[in-house]
Amino acid sequence: MKKEMMVKGRVLGYLTEVFVKEFVESIINYNESYRKIGVDITPFLPKPFRDKRKLVANITYLTKVDCLVIQFVIGDRSGINYWVEESDIYLEAAIEKNEDRLKIEGNFSQALYPENLNQIFDPVAFAIYFSVDVFNKRSKNPAGLAEEVIRANLNYHNNFLQANLISDKINKATYISRLKSISDEFFTLINNLDTPELVIDKFLEDNPIILKEGLRIDKLIHQSDLENVLSKYAHNLKPDLIAYDVSEKRWVIVDYKKANKKLLKNVERTRVGLTSEVHSLRDQLFDYMEFFEEHKHRKSFEKKFKVKIVNPSCIGIIGKLEAELQEPFNRLLKNEPRWFKVIPYNYLYDNFNNFISSGEKFITE
């Protein structure tokens, strides 16, 4: 058994090294993407990631609980170290000594941790604790985890703390508590059938973090009037939101309708389809997208808002979707154009709550 665990440890060591390299590279790439839109995220990253030349990853495989710890620290030069550990120290002891630095990914009622915690934990370490099952899932998308870490810390350090510098009582717990309050209020609004569309519009504008983190977008431009320079449109063009998607490296146009709209018709029949409300939203977004196909329109927008938009994608936020309808809904969306996404309000709510969970795990103070 011990030999088998050692072999498994070596295999996990190789896989984890690949994961760490891609994870770090993703953070560097995100950093560069933010710089292109005028945002330097380096000061808001966990300290070990601020200088890749000195970033060291220490990987420990805990044989007795079949778990991995990936700890990032500042060293003399970059590198990756790996070892197998058979310690019997309970994880609770590690949390007690390193509560602000230990980041846990996965749930364990009784987990073990290496001995000599003071030697293992650097004062500015950033550690992620994985079960092997969780690691196998996470290893398929290191860029996704990198984005979680970046966005959780960026909003906390850059937006929340900067806006609350006058108070010495602001901390991670306060921040998470405020996010949960916003989430609760949003839940109430979207589940009240009588909530007017404009009330939700105003709430999202007053609490842009829901859209920023629920859709993972930045540089939000609310309610922008698109100047009809060519007199091409018979109606005013005023999308609810235009923002930048750092992951996709493109601008996205967002419009939202009522939360009580149905998304599917003929659910109990043979020909399930998207409702007319969804098609109407798509047509509206197409007008916005088409606006930016004209050079003069792009120039007028660039002059007014100081951003250059070419080939944007579009997101329509509308209605809510029951779990049992997800499969037919996803199947129908395959027939829609690639530039068009539909996000039900409960999906947006779930995405925002996932962001809160990421903050609880990955924010460094």
Side-chain angles (χ1 to χ4, degrees):
M1 179 63 70
K2 185 174 181 179
K3 183 178 180 181
E4 290 177 1
M5 295 301 285
M6 293 297 289
V7 171
K8 182 177 183 179
R10 285 196 292 270
V11 173
L12 284 171
Y14 170 76
L15 294 176
T16 314
E17 283 192 34
V18 172
F19 171 81
V20 166
K21 289 176 181 177
E22 292 183 9
F23 176 72
V24 172
E25 190 63 32
S26 295
I27 287 183
I28 294 169
N29 289 339
Y30 277 119
N31 203 348
E32 291 302 315
S33 295
Y34 275 107
R35 281 180 180 166
K36 289 180 180 178
I37 60 171
V39 180
D40 182 12
I41 67 172
T42 305
F44 313 117
L45 293 174
K47 289 182 181 178
F49 298 105
R50 297 179 191 177
D51 186 350
K52 67 177 182 179
R53 297 168 300 179
K54 296 182 178 181
L55 177 62
V56 177
N58 294 323
I59 304 166
T60 308
Y61 172 52
L62 309 179
T63 60
K64 291 192 176 181
V65 286
D66 203 22
C67 299
L68 285 162
V69 176
I70 307 175
Q71 183 205 44
F72 298 94
V73 298
I74 299 172
D76 294 329
R77 58 182 180 178
S78 64
I80 298 177
N81 305 309
Y82 178 78
W83 60 88
V84 176
E85 177 63 54
E86 297 185 71
S87 173
D88 289 331
I89 303 299
Y90 282 101
L91 177 62
E92 283 75 14
I95 291 177
E96 183 179 348
K97 293 186 180 182
N98 302 280
E99 187 173 6
D100 294 332
R101 296 186 290 276
L102 189 66
K103 311 299 165 191
I104 304 171
E105 182 69 11
N107 299 313
F108 305 96
S109 57
Q110 195 178 60
L112 311 181
Y113 204 79
E115 296 181 26
N116 302 321
L117 295 175
N118 291 333
Q119 295 178 21
I120 290 174
F121 267 92
D122 184 277
V124 294
F126 180 88
I128 308 174
Y129 186 89
F130 289 104
S131 71
V132 171
D133 287 342
V134 170
F135 172 73
N136 287 335
K137 294 176 183 178
R138 286 288 195 174
S139 63
K140 297 173 183 176
N141 187 19
L145 180 60
E147 188 174 18
E148 281 187 54
V149 171
I150 286 174
R151 298 198 71 91
N153 283 279
L154 178 61
N155 189 74
Y156 175 67
H157 289 282
N158 187 31
N159 298 332
F160 183 76
L161 289 185
Q162 292 295 321
N164 294 279
L165 287 176
I166 58 174
S167 173
D168 58 0
K169 296 181 181 180
I170 299 299
N171 55 25
K172 176 180 172 180
T174 307
Y175 168 70
I176 295 296
S177 177
R178 292 190 182 183
L179 291 184
K180 289 181 177 179
S181 295
I182 293 172
S183 174
D184 290 343
E185 190 173 352
F186 185 51
F187 180 85
T188 300
L189 286 176
I190 64 175
N191 285 284
N192 183 347
L193 297 179
D194 296 324
T195 302
E197 183 178 325
L198 291 178
V199 171
I200 293 181
D201 290 3
K202 186 65 167 59
F203 184 79
L204 290 173
E205 188 169 350
D206 291 343
N207 298 279
I209 190 170
I210 296 175
L211 293 165
K212 285 187 67 175
E213 306 309 337
L215 301 178
R216 294 189 174 184
I217 52 179
D218 292 280
K219 305 288 281 188
L220 275 59
I221 303 172
H222 290 277
Q223 299 291 330
S224 55
D225 282 306
L226 305 183
E227 187 179 356
N228 191 7
V229 177
L230 301 176
S231 301
K232 186 175 180 179
Y233 302 96
H235 52 280
N236 294 331
L237 300 182
K238 192 174 184 179
D240 290 324
L241 179 70
I242 297 177
Y244 189 75
D245 187 325
V246 177
S247 300
E248 298 291 334
K249 296 180 176 59
R250 66 190 300 186
W251 288 88
V252 59
I253 304 170
V254 184
D255 215 86
Y256 19 93
K257 301 302 180 185
K258 285 186 177 182
N260 61 0
K261 297 292 185 181
K262 289 187 178 296
L263 302 181
L264 300 181
K265 62 182 180 180
N266 300 330
V267 172
E268 303 296 333
R269 302 176 186 176
T270 56
R271 293 185 180 179
V272 180
L274 296 172
T275 61
S276 60
E277 286 85 357
V278 175
H279 289 148
S280 176
L281 178 56
R282 181 194 61 196
D283 294 342
Q284 182 179 352
L285 286 165
F286 180 78
D287 282 347
Y288 298 150
M289 184 183 68
E290 188 182 46
F291 173 89
F292 288 100
E293 293 181 0
E294 301 287 349
H295 175 75
K296 289 186 177 180
H297 286 160
R298 292 198 301 270
K299 282 298 181 181
S300 70
F301 189 90
E302 183 178 355
K303 182 179 180 180
K304 184 175 181 179
F305 294 99
K306 312 303 180 188
V307 294
K308 184 177 181 179
I309 298 180
V310 180
N311 297 323
S313 59
C314 297
I315 296 175
I317 303 175
I318 183 173
K320 296 190 296 294
L321 191 73
E322 298 86 349
E324 61 270 19
L325 297 179
Q326 288 179 1
E327 185 176 339
F329 177 71
N330 291 335
R331 180 173 56 81
L332 287 169
L333 288 185
K334 291 180 181 179
N335 296 323
E336 295 300 309
R338 295 181 63 182
W339 56 263
F340 176 57
K341 290 182 181 179
V342 181
I343 306 292
Y345 276 95
N346 54 316
Y347 283 28
L348 182 64
Y349 170 80
D350 290 342
N351 291 346
F352 182 54
N353 278 284
N354 289 337
F355 167 73
I356 297 174
S357 297
S358 295
E360 290 179 302
K361 288 184 287 192
F362 299 130
I363 286 175
T364 57
E365 293 189 279

